Structures are given as C-alpha cells and as structure tokens.
C-alpha cells in the first residue's frame, strides 16, 4: 500500500467514525418509531407483506405511518395525496442540499436522494464544508447505516410490537424523534424557541384526530420563533441607538 492510498484509507476511516458517532443519538429515537410502524402494520388492513415492503421501498417513517393507518379506510388517491403532502418537506431538503450534490458524480445524484430522510438531512446539512469525496463518504455512511437500522426494527416491531404494553406509550416516539433532530440544527435563540414551543405543543396535542397535533405544533413553533426573532431584533436596534447616543462626538 502506497503512502497516498494509506492516507485516503485513514481519512475514510476518520469520516466513517465521525458519521457513526453523529448518527447514534438520532438513530436511537428512530428505534421506537420503527416499532410503532411495525405494530401499525400488524393492525392495518394492508397485507403484512405490503406493509413490510414499505420499510425498504418507501423509507419515510411519517409517510409510512400515514399510508399504513389509512389503508382500508381511505381511497388510494387519498393515501397518495396524504403521503405526498407529508413528504413535501423533502423538497426543501433537496433545495438545501443541491449545492453539495452538484459536485457529486451522477450515480450519487441519482441514488443518494432516495436515502435523504430527516436524520440524514439533519446531519449532512452540517457537513457541507467537507470536500466532495469526504461529504459523499459521510452521507452514505450515515444514510446506509440508518436504512439498515430501519429495516431491522420495523420487522422486529411486527413481531414484538403486539406484546408491548400500551402503558409504554409508543405513540410518543415520532414527536420525540423529531425533537431530537432539532438539537443538531439549533444555533440561534429563535430556532431554540421555535423547537421548544413546537415540540411541546405537538406533545400536548398528540391526541388530536388525523394527526393534527403535528400541524398545530409546527404553526405554534413558527409563530414563536418569529416573535422571538422580532423581540431580539428590537432589542438590538435599541442597544445600537443607546450606544450611539452615549458615544462622545468625534473631534474634527
């Protein structure tokens, strides 16, 4: 092995370790969510094998849950519409990641978006400063590992979920998972306020019909973040004016 290939191999190992270390805290909350999906499959009117295929083929927890729970009680067009609406956030994910993907080979631009779920975006969005090769390595390590974890816990949920006591309240798993994801993106006070309010409202309203608690939480979070942003901006303007008033005049 030449010195160059040894350097490349060593760098890849460092990137892999960093990717797995970053993935661990966001993958753990996804495990009970996977069990929720598996349990929902066993209770759905959808054939079990079709529900199971949603894990490797759809690979989108919230959309999977909507599709599985609506099966048997809604038309195919209603299910498709619900899944598309839930996944509209991926349009924003794609737009945000587009500059980094332009520097990737064609196979990466075609294959990687399939794995662009919430956890992958939350982590990859913080790695855009890396070289194209390192970014690609990081992204694929995170995404493929998470895909394997998801396709392990969903079948386990189908097997074990029916015997899990209802007191465990697995229905709290989805909002807890998304609350954990926000921790990686919070760098400013308004974002923290939005995450705290949105997550709290979603948890309080988790029992609303048609999963409206998610929408209510999102609206509350956006409003709280906007208010916090405005308050901070007003304080900065006031502080700047006070500073200008107290500064001594500059002698000409």
């Amino acid at each position: 092995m030449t010195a160059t290939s040894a350097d490349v191999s060593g760098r890849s190992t460092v990137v892999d370790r960093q990717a797995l270390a970053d993935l661990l805290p966001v993958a753990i909350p996804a495990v009970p969510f996977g069990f929720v999906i598996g349990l929902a499959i066993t209770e759905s009117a959808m054939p079990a094998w079709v529900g199971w295929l949603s894990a490797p083929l759809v690979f989108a927890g919230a959309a999977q849950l909507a599709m599985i729970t609506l099966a048997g009680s809604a038309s195919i067009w209603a299910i498709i519409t619900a899944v598309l609406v839930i996944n509209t956030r991926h349009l924003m994910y794609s737009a945000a990641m587009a500059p980094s993907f332009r520097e990737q080979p064609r196979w990466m631009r075609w294959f990687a978006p399939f794995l662009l779920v919430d956890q992958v975006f939350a982590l990859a969005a913080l790695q855009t400063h890396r070289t194209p090769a390192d970014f690609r390595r990081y992204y694929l390590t995170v995404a493929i590992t998470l895909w394997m974890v998801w396709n392990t816990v969903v079948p386990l949920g189908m097997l074990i979920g029916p015997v899990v006591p209802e007191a465990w309240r697995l229905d709290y798993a989805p909002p807890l998972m998304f609350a954990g994801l926000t921790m990686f993106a919070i760098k400013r006070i308004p974002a923290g306020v939005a995450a705290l309010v949105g997550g709290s409202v979603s948890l309080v309203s988790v029992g609303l019909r048609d999963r409206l608690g998610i929408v209510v939480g999102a609206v509350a979070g956006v409003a709280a973040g906007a208010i916090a942003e405005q308050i901070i901006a007003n304080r900065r303007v006031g502080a700047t004016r006070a500073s200008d008033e107290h500064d001594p005049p500059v002698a000409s």
Side-chain angles (χ1 to χ4, degrees), residues 66 146 196:
L146 185 62
L196 180 61

Coordinates of all heavy atoms in Angstrom, one line a residue, residues 66 146 196:
A66 N -48.7 7.1 7.9 CA -49.9 7.6 7.3 C -50.5 6.6 6.3 O -51.7 6.3 6.3 CB -49.7 8.9 6.6
L146 N -28.4 4.0 8.6 CA -29.8 4.3 9.1 C -30.8 3.4 8.3 O -31.8 2.9 8.9 CB -30.1 5.7 8.9 CG -31.5 6.2 9.5 CD1 -31.5 6.0 11.0 CD2 -31.7 7.6 9.2
L196 N -38.6 24.4 20.9 CA -39.2 24.1 22.2 C -40.7 24.2 22.2 O -41.4 23.3 22.7 CB -38.6 25.0 23.3 CG -39.1 24.8 24.7 CD1 -38.7 23.4 25.2 CD2 -38.5 25.9 25.6

